[in-house]
Amino acid sequence: MTSIERTAYPQFRRLTSARVLHVFFTPAEDEVAWARERTETPEALLALLVDLKCFQKMARFCSREEIPQAVTDHVRHCLGLSPEVEPDHGAARTARWHRGQVRKRLGVTRDPQRARALAEAAIREAAQVRNHPPDLINVALERIVEASLELLAYSTLDEMAAAIRTEVNEGIFAGIVVRMGPEGRQRAQGLLNTAGSGGRSMFNRLKKPAQRATWSRFKSQAGYLDEVDELGDTAYWLEGVAPGKIADFAGEAAAQDIDTLSRYGDAKKLALVACLVHTARMQARDDLAEMLCKRAASIVKKAKTELEEIRLRQRAVSERLIGTYRTVLEQLDPDGEAASQEPGHGAARAVAAVEEAGGFAAQLSDIEEVSAFHGDNYEVLVARFFRMDRAVMFELAGKLDLVATSSDDSVLAALEHARAYHGARRDHIPLPPPASGEAGDSGLAFASGNWRRAVTDRRHPGMVVRRHFEAMVFTYLAEELRTGDIAITGAGEYADWRANLLPWEECEPLLEGFCAGVGLPATAAGFTERLRHAHLDAAGALDAGYEDNADLVIGEDGAPALKRRRGAGTPQAAERLAEAVARRMPERSLLSIVARTAYWLGWHHHFGPASGSDPKISDPLGRYCMAVFTGGVNIGPYEAARHIAGVSARELSMVRNRHIDLNKLNAAIATVVNAFAELDVVKAWGDGTAVAADGTQVETYIDNLLAETSIRYGGVGGIAYHYISDTYVALFSRFIPCGVWEAVHLIEGLLANKSDIQPSTVHADTQGQSAPVFTLATLFGFDLMPRIRNFKDLIFFRPDEHLIYPHIDALFGERGRNVIDWKLIERHWQDLMQVAISISEGRLSSATLMRRLRSNSRKNRIYKVFREVGRSVRTVALLRFLADPQLRARITAATNKVESYNGFTQWLGFGNNGVLGDNDPAEQEKLIKFNTLLANLVIFHNALDIMDVVRGLVAEGWLITADQLGAMSPYLRGHISRFGAYATDDLTRQPEAFNPVLKEVDFTAPALAA
């Protein structure tokens, strides 16, 4: 049976907060009047209204045992009834009549047969594209509610989903096995042999990620591509199977070892292996493309480093040449001292000076050497470092099916030209012909001026230097793979992302609903006018208030400068309260915090086997608590088994690998966030409408494609990117490479946040902004307001070329330049909406889009409109930033919370000296999410302890305000024990219920410290 907690089936939470009671269970006056007309006793009145309010929330009638006492008490209090009155309909016939009246009032019909038919049809349709039982149950729930029918029992829906899912999957498995044919089935079965070639199992190799992009690993990965491709034509095997099903089946296969997978039925086993092979083939292409890009970047970096070293070596040569030139000029100067002493002999003296400096040949040679590397022309040095990778790159070019994603295929044409002369031994080859539609008389139009000079030779007209030409082609190939201008057929991340866009015909029916949801006009003209007015208003407001703005100074060159304001500091009363709370916080162990919150919140119910069924392990709560604790503190299973009695490394590893994945961790985190939001003390810290995103460097093992040396942070590893609510809790987290601009992932995390806290304002550091990111934030209704340290260096764009501002006009630079092209935005509005709706419908990842929309996406029309909208929105953000000191203070406070959170999570993740001990990027991200979940559990528990301490202080006579609590942080750690032998007694000790209400403090109008 599927855990009800993993579905959207309505049920009462273990915690029923005052806010929930007020919003959902307070009877309206007309509802009370309606109920009084249909009842004769206080008991029946109470019973009818409790049923009405519960049905409004649950879409079904709840048993008396299921309804929390707090709900009954709240409705009784609203009715003004005495505490002795208990809900009682009276006779069974009266109870049935009351239920009928509730259905009639709410417009709901009780028709189990029709509800079953609707649910069955919905589940059968969804099972073609979804695999997890909770998802199928949720689809049925949505369809039943839409039809205004009373919900079926959960057990009915669960049994229906399990039966239909099994039936649909068996049909899919059978079709896959038939298309595999005898040879394909034999190869798939062969993967499950425990010892393959060289004593290693190919099945296990399929599950392993690529290693770091060294030359030997690059070459080995190219060979691995041949191995996985030889396993079969998986695209044909899986024809007609939804991508989501393939991903789920592959994930289930990857979660098993050979022994457990061999116990599956033959059809299911072979089908799961086929899906795993398919994803491995896609991943192999992605990994090769990533390696190629990293190798190309490394080669360019080496060339630039070599150029700097050459310049240092040539400094002495340049100084000698300057000295010789000065001597020659002195000898030739008709007004100089030498000419007055020996008139008419200047030329001879100049020649003598050159001869003395080494002669004409030596001087010309020195000049050639210096001029060869004058300027930023590292391109001529790339070829010498490209030599080692040449054979592998040409081999890849023949294996990968590369396609241009626009009509401009000039780089691919140049690549084909290079491949045609790959075996040539001569130094020069003919110029490539122009690509289709390309101007000019050669196929070098895509190259920069430096590259053209590097590959051509005036002494060999109509020819190019082969080694420089090859280096140039692969450098541009890597760049266009990054920008998405070239895609790889059969890849995943490097496939043509435009193919994932919904056709406009499918977007049009969704357009009005999407725009209403994000608060945007649903027409091109309306959208453009909204942006234009916002731009004009922001510029006008800054100009009008400039003379009263004591912080802002705009120089004659147009550069803005802001005077630094001193912080207000923490009030003395708040400091005294913080010290008192810290002293009185009860001692806790991390393991006890994890166990207590599991009992209270049930976050562990989101975990379970990949099949979607309930876990069959003994003591799932205890096992899942151990997994979260050890993963959160960054202790591996074998190290944990040494310190924790009663658990084996194998058992712990099995739970972490087979029962917990990234999606389940996200769901558990959301459960904790929702419970945290119901605590009264949280009101002192924020209202959840703002979030700050920032990253911190985390060291990892280096033998993987994600680990890189961070210029910003130092060290080798990746970036733990966190989204921290203004209430201090983490809404979401990601693990991203150091070499990626953090803004790429900003919006994706916001869209992936499924908690009840849905912020509308987003703060980030300087790394969290770029023009396309501002556009994407606007398209999804987010107000992006980052802390921009380099605002002096950014361009302020004019809303109108004819407008002149008396005070701030210099900000916008020269008149007539840097003007927003509103016509371009209106013309390509459809492209914007198509991209946004495709992301909203799950067809396209926002991170994939942002990675492709780079400043060098020269062939991408979508980039151009994203850049233009972003220019306007970012300029508005800059103008608001300069105009509003309170806004700047809020941004600083929000980003400071993220930095405090980063320190808190690093303190929690003390194991292995903070180094993530896994080379699999997916496992590395899982460890980051374990750490995020653990941090949120500690934050939640700290908030409860803070409230308990505050209750005690108030009882002693302290006067405590919401402002004072707002100056505190729940990142307290002095009372928490991290080290030593970990006792497991708390795993079986059920705690008392907690109290979410802090009535001792008035939270009605707190002036939040943040």
Side-chain angles (χ1 to χ4, degrees), residues 1-5 7 9 137 152-159:
M1 186 173 183
T2 303
S3 296
I4 191 173
E5 290 86 356
T7 71
Y9 194 86
I137 293 173
L152 300 169
Y154 178 77
S155 58
T156 302
L157 293 174
D158 181 61
E159 292 170 4

Side-chain angles (χ1 to χ4, degrees), residues 39 53 102 124 184 209 231 370 377 434 464 517 621 643 645 704 712 780 796 833 852 897 921:
T39 56
K53 301 311 294 184
V102 169
R124 191 171 299 279
L231 294 174
V370 172
N377 57 339
V464 291
L621 182 146
H643 296 277
N704 57 83
R712 182 184 180 194
F780 282 93
F796 287 73
M833 293 298 112
R852 302 301 175 240
K897 283 183 180 179

